[in-house]
Amino acid sequence: MEAEPGVRETPDDTALLHAHAAGDPYAFAEIVRRHRDRLWAVALRTLGDREEAADALQDALLSAFRAAGNFRGESAVTTWLHRIVVNACLDRIRRRQSRPTVPLPETDITPAPVTDRDTAMDVQQALQQLAVEQRSALVLVDVQGYSVAEAAVILGVAEGTIKSRCARGRARLAVMLGHLRNPVGSGGVPSPNSAEAATGAAANRKEGGA
């Protein structure tokens, strides 16, 4: 269907990326405008630190800016961008893990009554306790709502690997976040499915209140 006379069609992401590679000074800024919020959310949930997430996102966007000419169109531009952001986050996590840390003193871990903000903080802290492979898979699937297939492309692994990482991550979260569903003294822990729901709901509440 042809566009109406005088109406300019909005270019899609691929067209914008090609225009940027060809020298258009405004095309990449439009791509960033379209996808920055989701890219930021992925970086923040993966790293758990706003300053590090901002630095990782900046590094990733700079890499994408420079590598646009290498984009082959084998996946959507947004998938390509997410892969670059996740890799930038993983690089920072690996560097962080290579640095020595000082153990924290033991404290009373009996959970107190929680608010929605407390719940979001608990979920974020629990995510940071997961193995990075499980965390990155859960952030994409349960928090950002990507399909298993899309997450597999972004992380460069098989779909079965994503399913396995999510299942193991949810099982761990179910134990760590048991107090959110079962107050002290009620016994039991939430199921992995309820951990999935808590992860997504609490993350959405935190994003809305940020």
Side-chain angles (χ1 to χ4, degrees), residues 29-101:
E30 173 61 18
I31 294 175
V32 172
R33 185 193 66 78
R34 292 179 182 182
H35 302 291
R36 185 180 181 89
D37 287 350
R38 291 194 78 183
L39 297 174
W40 163 249
V42 167
L44 182 59
R45 297 299 171 203
T46 302
L47 288 166
D49 180 276
R50 297 183 72 86
E51 184 174 343
E52 282 216 71
D55 289 343
L57 181 57
Q58 180 176 323
D59 291 345
L61 291 177
L62 181 59
S63 295
F65 183 92
R66 293 171 172 170
N70 298 326
F71 178 72
R72 297 189 297 272
E74 296 175 353
S75 61
V77 170
T78 183
T79 301
W80 177 73
L81 288 172
H82 275 77
R83 185 186 304 129
I84 294 173
V85 170
V86 169
N87 285 338
C89 292
L90 296 182
D91 285 343
R92 286 185 170 271
I93 290 172
R94 293 186 188 102
R95 290 199 296 270
R96 180 198 300 168
Q97 291 174 339
S98 69
R99 296 194 294 265
T101 58

Side-chain angles (χ1 to χ4, degrees), residues 81 125 168:
L81 288 172
Q125 290 170 359
R168 291 198 299 269

Side-chain angles (χ1 to χ4, degrees), residues 6-184:
V7 176
R8 184 178 180 180
E9 292 187 8
T10 302
D12 61 19
D13 290 343
T14 301
L16 284 171
L17 198 63
H18 289 158
H20 163 66
D24 187 321
Y26 306 107
F28 193 79
E30 173 61 18
I31 294 175
V32 172
R33 185 193 66 78
R34 292 179 182 182
H35 302 291
R36 185 180 181 89
D37 287 350
R38 291 194 78 183
L39 297 174
W40 163 249
V42 167
L44 182 59
R45 297 299 171 203
T46 302
L47 288 166
D49 180 276
R50 297 183 72 86
E51 184 174 343
E52 282 216 71
D55 289 343
L57 181 57
Q58 180 176 323
D59 291 345
L61 291 177
L62 181 59
S63 295
F65 183 92
R66 293 171 172 170
N70 298 326
F71 178 72
R72 297 189 297 272
E74 296 175 353
S75 61
V77 170
T78 183
T79 301
W80 177 73
L81 288 172
H82 275 77
R83 185 186 304 129
I84 294 173
V85 170
V86 169
N87 285 338
C89 292
L90 296 182
D91 285 343
R92 286 185 170 271
I93 290 172
R94 293 186 188 102
R95 290 199 296 270
R96 180 198 300 168
Q97 291 174 339
S98 69
R99 296 194 294 265
T101 58
V102 178
L104 296 175
E106 292 186 4
T107 57
D108 181 7
I109 60 173
T110 302
V114 296
T115 64
D116 281 353
R117 183 168 292 275
D118 292 331
T119 300
M121 291 177 64
D122 283 348
V123 170
Q124 182 59 53
Q125 290 170 359
L127 279 171
Q128 297 307 306
Q129 300 302 312
L130 297 179
V132 63
E133 293 84 2
Q134 296 170 10
R135 186 194 320 159
S136 56
L138 281 176
V139 165
L140 291 173
V141 175
D142 289 352
V143 179
Q144 293 301 308
Y146 282 98
S147 68
V148 169
E150 290 170 327
V153 172
I154 291 171
L155 295 177
V157 297
E159 292 183 26
T161 302
I162 295 294
K163 293 178 182 178
S164 176
R165 290 177 179 178
C166 285
R168 291 198 299 269
R170 289 170 190 147
R172 286 202 62 197
L173 288 179
V175 175
M176 289 188 284
L177 300 175
H179 62 282
L180 297 182
R181 182 176 181 182
N182 302 287
V184 177

